[in-house]
Amino acid sequence: MLSRINRRITFAAWRQPRAILWATAGAVTLGFLITLEITARHYGLPGPLTNQAKEVISAPKSGPLLYASMALMMVVLTWRQRLIATGAAIGIDIAFFLARWALDAKMMFGNGALWVMLGCAVIAITRRTGRERTLLLKGVGLGLLLVAGRKTGDTWLLITSKTRPAVLDPYLATADHALGNPSWLAGRIVKATGTIGTHILDYVYIQLAVAAVAVALYQLRNVAAERRFPRHHLVRTFLVIGLLGPAIYMIFPVVGPVFAYGTGAFGTGGEPWAIANLWPHTPPPLSTPHPVPYDDITPRNCMPSLHTAWATAIFIHTRKSPRILQYAGTFWLIATLTATLGFGYHYGVDLIAGVVFAFTVEAALRSLERGWDHTATQLVTHGTTTFAALLASYRYLPTEMARNPWLAGPLLILAMTSVIYNYTHTTRQWEPTPPTPTPTAAQQPGPQTQPEPA
């Protein structure tokens, strides 16, 4: 009898909308990863699941990312459990370090962090029940999803290079005349800063995910005490941007200025596939754009600029944080924009599309958590329409944009600004209004009784 009651309670819980949403999201994510694994195998390379499994033993690609992911997972743990988990991860890494040193193998840390996350998953399944099991599994899932997102992105980039033999760089290079060819200007500036400026920007560009984890740790700082996650946080936006963005790479394949128009001012470039050796000193001349063939190795990962979108998401989520995080979010956004342009990885129009993309994704996620209504529909529709219009104009009107820069350039900036303003204005109205304090008797209007003289 009790078992039947328990089964009914479990079934009723799974009928709740949020439980159904989590189950659906999990199934879709698993199916997506399996599809990418099969596709990568078709091209003779391991997919995201295989690459992640290999890092249990082999040297990880990014040790800082694994430790950042473990830190994200530990928001559900008590301080004592965090100390134990950190000590275990460091101890495992020391053992791996000694073994690799003895075998003269590739040196990299991070295996310990991955082992700790997997160990917490086992503990959640075997030693926890009810809400505690769910909370710990959510923490482990959050950490592993951040790592899986990196592996998934690598596989997506492989697919773009294998399935899109022609790139559309001439279209963006032509449209970029409307903005004054900012990548060429930024490339000369960054090169003039020398090795110090280059190394700083390179670190900011590479460690973007670690910066996102730092902001997320602040947002999730109360999870262990409250035993629940906040309704919306940066990691969700970060993962959705990484999931949706590469699909647009397939629609608009672009390799970037340093590959399409240069041999590489910083030791990288597109020779011998480059259209011309022009970047960063000579902007490309105006001509009728057309698709050009490119190699099957370089990722087509420019449109939109996901680094810009991620840095924009960090900026958005730090606006209501302590001042130090606000400054950090602003710095990371400016430095990321400078790096993407200055290293020749993106055109200026890529960055505009990336900003619009980030605000649209953020608006959709906030709308889902708040409850969808007509204002949410208008906000997301505005962002989506603007993004689609940008892609269409880059593809079909680049020559007209280049010939009328004083019209096209301001229109591009205005389109991006309209999305930012609409998001800011709408979400400010969504904020709860603080209650009006009730006036005390002494504050009530009207005649007051005066004390009689003694």
Side-chain angles (χ1 to χ4, degrees):
M1 183 67 174
L2 289 176
S3 63
R4 286 199 297 269
I5 293 175
N6 290 336
R7 282 197 298 269
R8 289 173 185 168
I9 293 174
T10 302
F11 178 72
W14 275 103
R15 290 183 62 188
Q16 297 299 320
R18 290 187 66 83
I20 295 174
L21 180 62
W22 275 101
T24 303
V28 170
T29 301
L30 180 60
F32 178 69
L33 290 174
I34 293 174
T35 302
L36 285 181
E37 183 74 28
I38 294 173
T39 304
R41 293 282 181 176
H42 174 72
Y43 293 107
L45 294 172
L49 296 176
T50 302
N51 284 330
Q52 189 60 68
K54 286 169 60 177
E55 290 190 352
V56 174
I57 301 297
S58 62
K61 183 175 182 179
S62 175
L65 179 63
L66 283 170
Y67 269 90
S69 300
M70 185 185 73
L72 200 58
M73 181 270 297
M74 290 196 299
V75 298
V76 304
L77 304 180
T78 64
W79 279 106
R80 177 176 177 274
Q81 292 168 338
R82 292 170 187 172
L83 291 175
I84 294 173
T86 303
I90 294 174
I92 293 171
D93 266 326
I94 290 174
F96 271 96
F97 179 86
L98 294 175
R100 290 185 180 125
W101 178 72
L103 297 174
D104 196 24
K106 178 183 177 182
M107 305 300 290
M108 176 53 73
F109 64 94
N111 299 88
L114 182 57
W115 278 48
V116 167
M117 286 190 284
L118 296 176
C120 286
V122 173
I123 292 173
I125 295 172
T126 60
R127 304 291 296 276
R128 299 286 188 271
T129 58
R131 292 183 61 185
E132 290 300 313
R133 172 188 288 176
T134 302
L135 186 67
L136 185 52
L137 285 176
K138 282 184 178 180
V140 173
L142 203 60
L144 291 178
L145 273 176
L146 188 63
V147 182
R150 176 70 174 268
K151 304 300 180 187
T152 300
D154 292 343
T155 304
W156 259 121
L157 298 183
L158 165 70
I159 294 173
T160 63
S161 64
K162 298 295 184 182
T163 61
R164 294 296 181 267
V167 298
L168 303 179
D169 282 77
Y171 293 86
L172 296 190
T174 302
D176 229 29
H177 280 75
L179 299 174
N181 305 107
S183 181
W184 271 255
L185 174 61
R188 294 193 296 272
I189 294 174
V190 171
K191 186 178 181 181
T193 63
T195 57
I196 296 178
T198 301
H199 287 319
I200 292 174
L201 291 177
D202 185 59
Y203 181 83
V204 170
Y205 189 85
I206 293 174
Q207 301 300 338
L208 186 63
V210 178
V213 170
V215 176
L217 288 177
Y218 173 78
Q219 293 181 326
L220 304 176
R221 65 193 183 281
N222 296 324
V223 170
E226 298 176 355
R227 312 311 294 164
R228 64 180 180 84
F229 281 86
R231 294 179 64 85
H232 181 53
H233 50 83
L234 175 60
V235 180
R236 295 166 59 109
T237 307
F238 217 75
L239 292 173
V240 173
I241 288 174
L243 179 66
L244 298 179
I248 305 170
Y249 292 164
M250 304 291 288
I251 301 172
F252 214 119
V254 180
V255 292
V258 71
F259 296 103
Y261 291 97
T263 56
F266 305 104
T268 60
E271 197 176 23
W273 292 89
I275 301 170
N277 183 12
L278 300 175
W279 188 89
H281 300 291
T282 307
L286 282 179
S287 60
T288 302
H290 57 86
V292 294
Y294 212 81
D295 65 26
D296 60 352
I297 300 174
T298 307
R300 281 66 163 150
N301 61 340
C302 282
M303 178 54 66
S305 169
L306 292 195
H307 264 77
T308 298
W310 283 319
T312 302
I314 292 175
F315 178 81
I316 294 172
H317 280 262
T318 54
R319 291 312 86 198
K320 294 185 178 180
S321 302
R323 196 173 298 275
I324 183 65
L325 280 181
Q326 293 183 28
Y327 289 153
T330 303
F331 164 77
W332 223 273
L333 175 61
I334 295 174
T336 299
L337 297 180
T338 304
T340 56
L341 291 174
F343 290 151
Y345 296 152
H346 288 282
Y347 303 90
V349 289
D350 302 349
L351 274 59
I352 290 178
V355 171
V356 173
F357 184 67
F359 273 94
T360 304
V361 170
E362 178 68 19
L365 291 176
R366 287 201 61 178
S367 299
L368 286 173
E369 290 303 319
R370 171 186 173 271
W372 207 279
D373 58 15
H374 73 282
T375 59
T377 301
Q378 292 174 354
L379 182 61
V380 176
T381 300
H382 178 209
T384 304
T385 303
T386 302
F387 183 74
L390 289 174
L391 293 185
S393 64
Y394 299 161
R395 181 64 174 83
Y396 299 107
L397 300 173
T399 304
E400 289 75 9
M401 294 169 64
R403 289 173 178 170
N404 302 278
W406 296 107
L407 174 63
L411 283 178
L412 291 176
I413 301 299
L414 181 62
M416 178 185 70
T417 305
S418 71
V419 173
I420 298 173
Y421 173 79
N422 194 19
Y423 171 87
T424 305
H425 178 70
T426 303
T427 54
R428 187 180 292 123
Q429 293 179 335
W430 290 351
E431 297 295 333
T433 304
T436 304
T438 304
T440 62
Q443 297 172 327
Q444 293 288 348
Q448 302 293 325
T449 303
Q450 299 295 328
E452 296 182 1

